[in-house]
Amino acid sequence: MSTEEENAIEAVAVARRERLRALREAQELLQTPDNDDDDNNNSNTNQDDEDQNDVQMKFRNYLPHDKQLQEGKVAPPALPKFEDPMATLPPPEEKKEDPFLNIVPKKPNWDLRRDVQKKLDKLEKRTMKALAQLMEEEEKKRKMAEEDAENGEE
C-alpha cells in the first residue's frame, strides 16, 4: 500500500510540475513581443501620442497649477434665480393665546398620585383590615346583645 501511495504522490507532483512549466512558457510568450506586432504597435503608439496631444481638458471644479492647463478652465454654470413662492404670500394671522394655558396637564394631580401611589396602596390594605375587624366586633356585640335579650326574656 505504501508503494501505491508513493506512486500517487509522485503522479500529483509530476502533474504540478507540468502545469507550472506551461504557465512559465505562457508568461514568456506574453512578455516577448512578436516582430509583426512591433510594427503595428509602433504605429499605434504614435497615433496615441498624437491623440493625447490633441485632447482638450476641461476643468470645472479644479484650478490646475500648470499654465497650459489653466486655459482649459471652464466658468462655473450660472444658476437660475430662485423665486420663493412662499415669500410672495402674506404671513398668516395668528391668534394670540397665552402659551401657559397649553402647559396645564389633563389631570392636575397626576404627578402627586404617581409619587404617593405605593403609600395609598398600603393604606388601602390597612383600611380594609380595620373595616373587617370593626365589622367582626359589631357582629360579636350584636350576638351578645341578642343572647342577653334572650337570657333576659326568659
Side-chain angles (χ1 to χ4, degrees):
M1 287 237 267
S2 63
T3 57
E4 291 176 5
E5 290 175 8
E6 289 175 4
N7 290 338
I9 292 173
E10 285 182 32
V12 170
V14 169
R16 184 167 187 264
R17 278 190 218 121
E18 289 181 18
R19 279 183 290 172
L20 288 173
R21 189 176 304 127
L23 283 173
R24 276 191 219 114
E25 289 175 3
Q27 202 171 27
E28 287 176 10
L29 283 175
L30 289 174
Q31 289 178 353
T32 57
D34 293 338
N35 291 336
D36 297 337
D37 290 340
D38 283 343
D39 296 335
N40 292 337
N41 285 341
N42 287 338
S43 63
N44 286 340
T45 55
N46 290 339
Q47 289 175 357
D48 291 340
D49 290 341
E50 291 173 9
D51 290 342
Q52 287 178 355
N53 291 337
D54 293 341
V55 173
Q56 294 293 327
M57 298 180 79
K58 296 180 182 178
F59 299 103
R60 287 191 176 91
N61 297 328
Y62 174 70
L63 181 62
H65 296 289
D66 189 11
K67 301 261 183 188
Q68 292 174 348
L69 294 177
Q70 283 182 357
E71 295 171 1
K73 175 80 172 126
V74 177
L79 297 175
K81 184 155 185 157
F82 176 73
E83 294 181 19
D84 189 11
M86 296 302 290
T88 58
L89 296 175
E93 294 180 21
E94 296 181 9
K95 296 180 181 176
K96 297 195 177 188
E97 294 181 10
D98 189 15
F100 294 107
L101 291 177
N102 295 332
I103 296 176
V104 177
K106 293 179 182 176
K107 294 182 180 179
N109 62 350
W110 68 273
D111 56 339
L112 292 174
R113 286 197 169 228
R114 180 196 63 208
D115 295 340
V116 182
Q117 189 63 39
K118 290 180 183 177
K119 293 179 183 176
L120 285 175
D121 291 342
K122 287 181 185 178
L123 286 175
E124 184 70 25
K125 288 179 184 177
R126 288 184 184 175
T127 305
M128 290 302 194
K129 285 182 183 178
L131 286 175
Q133 285 177 352
L134 287 173
M135 288 175 62
E136 288 176 7
E137 288 177 9
E138 282 192 32
E139 189 69 29
K140 286 180 184 176
K141 285 181 184 177
R142 197 180 54 172
K143 283 184 181 178
M144 292 181 98
E146 286 178 9
E147 288 178 6
D148 287 342
E150 288 177 10
N151 290 339
E153 291 177 7
E154 294 178 11

